[in-house]
Amino acid sequence: MEPRTAPAPGRARSFHRILLATNFSPRSKRAFHKALELAADLGAELHLLHVHSVPPPRPLFFITMPEENHRRLCERVRSRSRRRFEDFLRGEPLGDVPVVTVVREGQPHREIVAYAAEAELDLVVVGERPETRAQHVLQHLAFESVGERVRRESPCPVLTVR
């Protein structure tokens, strides 16, 4: 991959690789349509990323989950995520847009930011639900959303679709 450089002053930024971070919700679907439209218009590659989490194998009420059971649980979660990607994309008019699907495990905002840097992406698209003023204040005080964290830490621009 070529090294990325900032656009010269007065020149528009070009987007060649766009990432949509999805949790398969209706707002993710709206964000997907916007990202797909942008990728088609710009001739860009579209990366779709879903991050799931699996609780660590720790004792619960003094009962420990055997390692083999935890491994099977992790595989079931990964398999379910891949099936959800298939359902998410079923019937969507992708046209000539190259699409890359990626499933990762971990904390969503960290994995999204890490993947954006690793894949040298040019734009991250996230879906977020519209919020009331009270929700906005609470979110900034204590309950920061994944989209908010991604916007703050992303190595590239972030487009939020509401």
Side-chain angles (χ1 to χ4, degrees), residues 18 20 30-42 44 46 48 89 92-99 125:
I18 298 172
L20 170 74
R30 282 194 304 275
F32 166 74
H33 290 132
K34 178 52 88 178
L36 183 61
E37 179 184 336
L38 281 170
D41 289 348
L42 300 171
L46 181 59
L48 304 176
L89 293 173
E92 292 295 339
L94 300 177
D96 294 333
V97 175
V99 176
V125 180

Side-chain angles (χ1 to χ4, degrees), residues 13-154:
R13 182 180 192 114
S14 180
F15 299 110
H16 301 288
R17 287 180 293 278
I18 298 172
L19 169 66
L20 170 74
T22 181
N23 62 2
F24 307 117
S25 68
R27 63 184 170 269
S28 286
K29 195 64 139 174
R30 282 194 304 275
F32 166 74
H33 290 132
K34 178 52 88 178
L36 183 61
E37 179 184 336
L38 281 170
D41 289 348
L42 300 171
E45 181 178 74
L46 181 59
H47 293 240
L48 304 176
L49 172 67
H50 173 69
V51 181
H52 64 261
S53 59
V54 175
R58 62 176 180 244
L60 179 66
F61 299 112
F62 305 106
I63 300 171
T64 303
M65 177 186 284
E67 183 64 33
E68 179 60 30
N69 290 0
H70 187 261
R71 201 172 15 263
R72 282 198 313 258
L73 174 64
C74 291
E75 182 51 42
R76 282 193 358 229
V77 170
R78 278 190 291 276
S79 177
R80 183 172 184 253
S81 294
R82 287 190 291 271
R83 281 193 313 274
R84 289 187 76 189
F85 255 131
E86 291 171 9
D87 293 342
F88 188 78
L89 293 173
R90 188 172 290 120
E92 292 295 339
L94 300 177
D96 294 333
V97 175
V99 176
V100 176
T101 58
V102 179
V103 175
R104 285 194 165 190
E105 184 178 315
Q107 291 183 323
H109 75 280
R110 287 187 180 154
E111 293 300 321
I112 293 166
V113 169
Y115 183 76
E118 290 165 18
E120 297 183 347
L121 299 169
D122 302 307
L123 177 68
V124 174
V125 180
V126 293
E128 213 168 79
R129 69 175 178 261
E131 55 191 30
T132 66
R133 195 163 220 23
Q135 287 171 324
H136 183 74
V137 169
L138 281 173
Q139 197 171 41
H140 287 284
L141 292 176
F143 308 108
E144 198 171 39
S145 71
V146 170
E148 184 70 31
R149 288 180 175 187
V150 170
R151 282 192 295 278
R152 192 167 15 89
E153 299 174 19
S154 178

